Amino acid sequence: MLPIYASQILQVGPRGLGLLAAAPSADALVASLITSISGPGKRQGRLLIGAVIVYGMSTAIFGISTSF
């Protein structure tokens, strides 16, 4: 679905599709660096629930967005 979304809704072409496809890997790299630097924190359950909520909201905003 990402190629269709990139070409028909965002109209960004192959270069924009490449950026969209690379975004999850870049986010995983940043998250792993932050986690390795900060170490295990307190209240991990609340942090997990907060991360799930932010991820869901980000996905919904991406779904309705027409701006690259």
Side-chain angles (χ1 to χ4, degrees):
M1 282 185 64
L2 193 57
I4 295 169
Y5 193 81
S7 67
Q8 294 182 1
I9 296 173
L10 297 178
Q11 300 172 352
V12 292
R15 193 168 277 167
L17 175 61
L19 288 173
L20 288 172
S25 299
D27 291 340
L29 178 65
V30 170
S32 66
L33 289 173
I34 291 172
T35 304
S36 66
I37 291 171
S38 66
K42 297 179 181 177
R43 299 185 178 144
Q44 293 177 356
R46 287 186 183 202
L47 182 62
L48 177 66
I49 297 298
V52 169
I53 290 170
V54 168
Y55 179 78
M57 289 173 40
S58 299
T59 303
I61 291 170
F62 175 75
I64 62 173
S65 175
T66 58
S67 172
F68 183 66

